[in-house]
Amino acid sequence: MRLAIAFAVALWVGTSANAQPAKPHHDRAMVDAANPLAVEAGLKILRAGGSAIDAAVAVQAALGLVEPQSSGLGGGAFLTYYDAHTHKVTAYDGRETAPASATPTRFFNADGKPLSFSEAVLSGRSAGVPGAVAMLALAQKAHGRLAWSGLFGDGERLAREGFIVSPRLGGLIGAGFAQAKAPDVLAYFTNPGGDRMKAGDRLVNRAYAATLRRIAAEGPNALLKGSIAADIVARLSQDPLPGGMTLADLAAYQPHAAEALCRSYRQWIVCEPNAPSGGPATLEGLGLLARTDIAKRGPNDPIAWFELAQAQRLMYADDLKYVGDPAAVTVPIAGLLDGPYLDARAKLIGDQAGPPPAPGQPVGAPKVGPDATREPGGTSSFVIVDQWGDVASMTTTVEGPFGDGRMVDGFLLNNQLTDFSFQPIDKDGAPAANAVGPGKRPRSSMSPTIILDANHRFVAAVGSPGGMAIPAYVLKSIVGVLDWKLSMQEAVNLPNLIAIGAYYAGEADKFSPGVLRGLADRGIVVRSGLGAEGSGLHGIIRRDDGRLDGGADPRREGVARGCC
Ligand code: GLU
């Protein structure tokens, strides 16, 4: 006995003396999204051998149920997708489209004046043809490893068995904004006993489960053709202000796929969807920052934040003037991202903020009028890396919280068309780039980003909700993680600062007094309470040792979890 122990000990000592130091185990895959139930749905697909796009479908199916204030089957999305085999980034556009009958005065009342924003949102005119599911189907066909029909199991089960309402959803159910009080929303969030649902209650949605089963079996045609399409048309033709969407509008919907719009930022390559997304704005912002010394500074340096604010003001001035649907208007993308243009524009960063910067004159600029677009916050953004190294970065939205407040077959319809400019022309008659038009897609701020190294290997992906503030949130995170070498979580946690014209919204209580003083000395007084808290950043960076480092915005309810 004793001999046996001695032998075993010798064997063990011998083994350990010769052993190589154990290699740290890294998760090869990760899902980083706004709700843990959706993250679990994605992980289950990855564990079953699914790719990032397969998991994205499962995440969206769950998010549409558990985070209905933000995104869903009735909404639209942009997706950038990195294929680790080809090293190519493809951008998918699932933006909602205006019906064929839409005219530039869609958001005018009978007296020829723009509708109030909430009137427009609740009207039948705010919903565009939903594109998120059709876009996912197109991308899944190209990059999926599993059968489409097998990707909806968790979403369907959660809807059938019920899920627990999260604190954020519970808060919005009880909030006072227009959609939260819309009849369909009130009915959906009322318990059988008659009281308003709150966090901790179980919510069952059998209609959503049935819709998912149909989408699983029939693909996006389940939404765009047949009885669900007829339900959408019927709901949007009801008062107030019917919207004129037809079955033909739904049947005609086409998601787009194109090579992503990529530009260099120092030694990296940053890829975005093209217009009408917020990708061009984010790339212009980065182009301006690349011409500053921000990388040598850090989060406690007021000049770093000044540079970030000034780059944003210049970027937003251009975005608001020039960006619209490139299928309908001329958008001078090449001019806006051209080196000499950015050189000249970066000189305007200066050392004092001064009055709001005017839009520039990039090569190819059309004569377009000023813009009157408003974008409040809804939306969700998630990032997935699979075990082969493919990456999905997707920002997905019903526009405002609970979309237009109208529900069919268990899901909410979007109010994305209020992302168009309510004023179609300026006083001299020049059309706004983002005016409403038939079949047109409204301008977005969504910027689901993928960053590569010079050899086109994946480095990082990040995205956020937040309406017009999205490019600001994304820029902050990219500077934090790439330039300042923060962890993804630290970069996401950095205080938010949004600078548009003379509007400086920020999380003032998160900046040090020194940073606030330094900014004020340069003409920027940061004010809290203007909506700067609305980010929902999710990002993943692959570290040099291969480790996936994820960050989920503490301002929302998301998590980053690895697997596989
Ligand atoms: N509708 C906005 C857009 O497409 C997103 C709204 C939000 O992020 O809350 O850019």
Side-chain angles (χ1 to χ4, degrees):
M1 181 68 166
R2 216 179 276 158
L3 209 119
I5 291 172
F7 181 72
V9 169
L11 198 73
W12 179 75
V13 171
T15 316
S16 79
N18 292 333
Q20 299 295 316
K23 264 206 171 155
H25 169 77
H26 297 315
D27 290 322
R28 287 181 302 162
M30 187 172 272
V31 181
D32 187 6
N35 182 290
L37 295 168
V39 169
E40 283 309 318
L43 288 172
K44 201 178 278 179
I45 295 296
L46 292 181
R47 287 193 199 103
S51 68
I53 190 63
D54 293 324
V57 175
V59 167
Q60 179 67 80
L63 277 182
L65 177 76
V66 301
E67 204 200 24
Q69 69 271 29
S70 297
S71 76
L73 310 178
F78 288 97
L79 162 74
T80 40
Y81 200 85
Y82 174 71
D83 182 322
H85 185 64
T86 61
H87 294 213
K88 287 213 166 84
V89 183
T90 307
Y92 292 91
D93 172 340
R95 190 69 166 164
E96 296 88 337
T97 54
S101 60
T103 64
T105 54
R106 188 169 181 82
F107 294 114
F108 281 11
N109 63 21
D111 304 332
K113 303 246 161 52
L115 295 170
S116 79
F117 194 70
S118 59
E119 255 180 313
V121 168
L122 296 177
S123 78
R125 299 183 189 169
S126 66
V129 177
V133 174
M135 181 202 81
L136 282 167
L138 181 69
Q140 201 268 343
K141 207 166 175 190
H143 306 284
R145 288 174 178 265
L146 302 180
W148 168 266
S149 58
L151 304 176
F152 299 85
D154 259 35
E156 197 270 343
R157 179 183 51 77
L158 287 165
R160 196 170 19 86
E161 295 177 357
F163 70 97
I164 302 300
V165 170
S166 74
R168 188 161 193 276
L169 173 55
L172 289 165
I173 292 170
F177 58 89
Q179 297 102 303
K181 292 186 283 187
D184 296 1
V185 175
L186 282 178
Y188 180 46
F189 294 120
T190 299
N191 280 317
D195 54 326
R196 200 91 169 261
M197 259 177 208
K198 51 188 181 337
D201 289 350
R202 178 172 291 273
L203 177 51
V204 173
N205 186 341
R206 291 195 186 85
Y208 190 88
T211 297
L212 281 191
R213 285 194 295 272
R214 287 192 54 187
I215 293 173
E218 301 165 36
N221 280 344
L223 289 180
L224 299 172
K225 296 179 179 163
S227 68
I228 297 178
D231 292 342
I232 294 173
V233 166
R235 188 68 189 91
L236 294 176
S237 51
Q238 285 164 5
D239 283 333
L241 302 172
M245 190 183 288
T246 63
L247 283 173
D249 290 321
L250 285 151
Y253 186 82
Q254 291 294 339
H256 300 157
E259 206 178 304
L261 184 67
C262 302
R263 290 291 186 277
S264 60
Y265 176 64
R266 306 191 204 285
Q267 68 263 45
W268 299 281
I269 301 165
V270 181
C271 295
E272 299 281 354
N274 206 332
S277 85
T282 301
L283 290 178
E284 183 180 351
L286 285 172
L288 296 170
L289 288 172
R291 289 159 169 82
T292 70
D293 60 2
I294 197 167
K296 285 192 258 138
R297 301 183 180 274
N300 297 317
D301 184 336
I303 297 178
W305 292 100
F306 172 79
E307 290 168 345
L308 197 58
Q310 288 289 79
Q312 285 181 35
R313 296 174 83 209
L314 294 159
M315 141 195 121
Y316 278 123
D318 283 348
D319 184 61
L320 290 171
K321 182 158 171 94
Y322 293 117
V323 178
D325 182 352
V329 293
T330 304
V331 186
I333 297 292
L336 287 167
L337 302 177
D338 188 37
Y341 177 74
L342 292 169
D343 290 343
R345 205 128 172 88
K347 294 215 174 78
L348 303 176
I349 288 177
D351 48 22
Q352 277 294 321
Q361 276 298 319
V363 173
K367 181 164 165 36
V368 283
D371 190 87
T373 309
R374 293 180 48 178
E375 278 185 46
T379 309
S380 206
S381 206
F382 61 84
V383 179
I384 300 170
V385 178
D386 70 25
Q387 56 182 300
W388 297 276
D390 308 316
V391 185
S393 182
M394 174 159 157
T395 309
T396 174
T397 182
V398 286
E399 213 307 281
F402 304 129
D404 67 356
R406 299 184 186 213
M407 229 176 162
V408 296
D409 299 291
F411 63 91
L412 284 155
L413 298 174
N414 67 83
N415 67 301
Q416 211 65 240
L417 302 191
T418 61
D419 271 6
F420 279 119
S421 175
F422 280 32
Q423 282 288 3
I425 46 172
D426 71 6
K427 57 181 182 350
D428 305 323
N434 191 34
V436 187
K440 199 174 166 188
R441 299 178 184 213
R443 183 183 63 226
S444 169
S445 301
M446 302 196 291
S447 319
T449 305
I450 289 186
I451 302 168
L452 309 178
D453 68 13
N455 297 317
H456 293 246
R457 284 177 310 215
F458 170 71
V459 173
V462 66
S464 182
M468 283 212 11
I470 291 170
Y473 299 145
V474 170
L475 286 183
K476 167 200 86 169
S477 312
I478 293 176
V479 168
V481 83
L482 294 184
D483 288 339
W484 298 342
K485 312 287 177 221
L486 301 176
S487 70
M488 186 55 88
Q489 191 61 57
E490 290 166 331
V492 161
N493 292 356
L494 285 171
N496 286 330
L497 173 63
I498 305 149
I500 306 174
Y503 168 94
Y504 303 110
E507 296 174 309
D509 54 338
K510 292 194 186 166
F511 286 107
S512 70
V515 168
L516 291 177
R517 221 176 309 116
L519 281 170
D521 288 347
R522 289 165 182 78
I524 294 179
V525 178
V526 181
R527 288 181 51 210
S528 295
L530 298 175
E533 287 82 4
S535 61
L537 285 153
H538 292 96
I540 299 174
I541 183 165
R542 188 192 291 286
R543 297 295 173 189
D544 290 344
D545 62 359
R547 185 172 57 90
L548 293 176
D549 168 16
D553 202 321
R555 301 164 187 88
R556 298 213 182 183
E557 297 174 324
V559 287
R561 285 197 187 129
C563 85
C564 316

